[in-house]
Each structure stands twice: as structure tokens, then as C-alpha cells.
Amino acid sequence: GIVNADSVSFILILFFLFIGFLLIKKSIAESKIQYRCTHCGYTGKAKRRYQGSGLIELVLWLFFIIPGLIYTLWRTSRKRLAICPTCNNRDMIPADLPLAMKVDQDKKCPYCAETVKKEAIICKHCGKELSAEKEPSEIA
């Protein structure tokens, strides 16, 4: 016939090389973005993870090739999760967004968990005195 095993193998190799190239290109672009953790306030590079399970993907590839391919395409087509390296929070946002800049200006009251200004001494919601966290320059 017109199609032989060598040409199919060559086409599959080219396909996987192309997919690999796209994933590497996407990974390099994502590594340059600074993220801000909405939970602990960390700013910097985020750990990047694909949604889903790598173990399930491996089992599917080993025993069921077509479902393995479908699962891999699903995992890689979705947006990679940005995970905070300090607290493992999955709600990291790009640091240049206005919401991330607002996180720098606000803090949560330890008594009522409402958001107050970072410079606040007394919580406007519950009226309790907030602990004054001194900056490193003030301690010396």
C-alpha cells in the first residue's frame, strides 16, 4: 500500500517533537512571570503544575494508548496551575495586576478576619487593637 510502517512512525515522531516544542516554549514564557500569593503574600516565581494526575496518565499510556493520548491532550491543553512555593496555595495571581497591588496595601484582622489597611492600629470592624509589626529598619 501507499502507507507503510516507516512513514507512520516518522509522522508520529514529528508530531511528538512538535508537541514537545510547544510545551517547552509555553514553559519558558510562563517562567518569566512574577506571581503574588493571595494567602501568604509571597511574590516571585510560582511552582507550575498541570491539572490532573501524572500517575493516572502513566497508567493510561502503559495499558490503554488511545485514552492515554486523550488524557495527555486534556492535561496539557488546560492552563497550568500556579502554586505558591511557601504555602502551596493554588490562588496565585500575576504580580502586576491591580488586585495583587491591593494585597500589598491590606491585611486581615487576626480577630475578625476582615480586611483592613496595612497601617491600621485599630480594626474598623471589631475595634480591637492590631499588633504593630515593626519593619526591620525600625528594629535597629
Side-chain angles (χ1 to χ4, degrees):
I2 298 173
V3 179
N4 60 22
D6 289 339
S7 62
V8 171
S9 298
F10 181 71
I11 290 171
L12 283 174
I13 289 172
L14 285 178
F15 172 74
F16 285 114
L17 285 174
F18 179 70
I19 295 295
F21 170 75
L22 290 178
L23 291 175
I24 289 172
K25 183 179 173 186
K26 184 178 177 183
S27 177
I28 290 171
E30 288 175 345
S31 69
K32 295 178 182 178
I33 299 173
Q34 293 284 316
Y35 285 89
R36 177 97 177 144
C37 179
T38 57
H39 184 259
C40 71
Y42 167 81
T43 301
K45 291 185 179 181
K47 293 190 293 186
R48 304 296 296 192
R49 298 285 183 264
Y50 284 111
Q51 198 165 4
S53 169
L55 180 62
I56 290 174
E57 184 176 10
L58 179 65
V59 168
L60 287 173
W61 271 106
L62 290 176
F63 299 109
F64 314 103
I65 293 174
I66 300 299
L69 176 63
I70 293 169
Y71 190 74
T72 300
L73 290 174
W74 172 79
R75 282 187 73 202
T76 56
S77 68
R78 298 182 61 107
K79 188 175 180 181
R80 291 175 68 188
L81 298 173
I83 300 172
C84 178
T86 56
C87 68
N88 290 323
N89 180 24
R90 292 181 177 207
D91 294 328
M92 291 193 75
I93 55 177
D96 57 352
L97 289 180
L99 179 61
M101 294 173 194
K102 184 171 175 35
V103 171
D104 280 338
Q105 298 169 355
D106 296 337
K107 65 179 177 179
K108 282 191 176 182
C109 173
Y111 302 104
C112 66
E114 290 288 341
T115 304
V116 294
K117 298 284 183 193
K118 196 174 201 175
E119 297 84 19
I121 299 170
I122 297 175
C123 177
K124 67 180 181 180
H125 301 282
C126 66
K128 296 205 177 179
E129 186 173 339
L130 303 173
S131 61
E133 297 175 359
K134 296 188 177 184
E135 297 292 326
S137 61
E138 296 176 13
I139 296 172

